[in-house]
Amino acid sequence: MIPTYDQMGDMLEAVAAQFPDAFFEGLEGGIQLEEQALPDPDFPPGEMYIMGEYCSDLLGRYILLYYGSFAALLADEGEDVWLDEIFATVAHEFTHHLEDTAMLHALDDADAAFLRQALAEYDDT
């Protein structure tokens, strides 16, 4: 089941409401849902997608989730899996936000290590 963009937006709102207000401090742009998929450019098409990202730029701090990436990876999954993945992605991006405000980068380092390992495993096949 692939929810519509609007249905995922409703799911995202419900998930975001589960997080404490303190997590949103300094997140000027809140959490936004983009319609497109965001394939990881380091992998062949269709192999790896970016589900969400934390942004800190001229527009401020905000979280983006990519509807198309969820649709590409979760096309055969039910609503419960979608909700779990949305929650996990939002929690992950909030961790980036909280670390950024504290000038830490442990999750950035862990993400980079994960991608290096995934690329190495992909190159070995």
Side-chain angles (χ1 to χ4, degrees):
M1 166 208 106
I2 299 179
T4 66
Y5 173 81
D6 289 336
Q7 288 170 326
M8 182 174 169
D10 292 341
M11 286 188 253
L12 176 55
E13 283 184 32
V15 165
Q18 298 176 45
F19 288 88
D21 290 343
F23 282 35
F24 290 87
E25 288 180 18
L27 197 65
E28 299 91 356
I31 303 173
Q32 302 172 26
L33 182 60
E34 296 290 326
E35 195 161 355
Q36 77 271 14
L38 186 59
D40 189 313
D42 293 331
F43 290 82
E47 291 295 320
M48 181 76 73
Y49 288 88
I50 297 168
M51 307 298 275
E53 60 185 335
Y54 170 71
C55 302
S56 180
D57 57 28
L58 293 174
L59 298 174
R61 294 178 173 144
Y62 53 97
I63 292 171
L64 296 176
L65 266 63
Y66 295 96
Y67 168 76
S69 295
F70 281 81
L73 294 175
L74 303 178
D76 297 327
E77 302 295 340
E79 183 176 336
D80 57 331
V81 173
W82 277 73
L83 287 167
D84 288 347
E85 288 299 321
I86 292 168
F87 185 92
T89 303
V90 170
H92 183 95
E93 301 312 331
F94 266 134
T95 303
H96 281 297
H97 170 58
L98 296 171
E99 285 189 353
D100 183 55
T101 59
M103 294 188 286
L104 300 171
H105 53 82
L107 187 56
D108 289 336
D109 294 345
D111 285 350
F114 168 80
L115 288 172
R116 279 193 304 275
Q117 180 65 30
L119 272 171
E121 289 174 12
Y122 183 82
D123 289 340
D124 287 343
T125 59

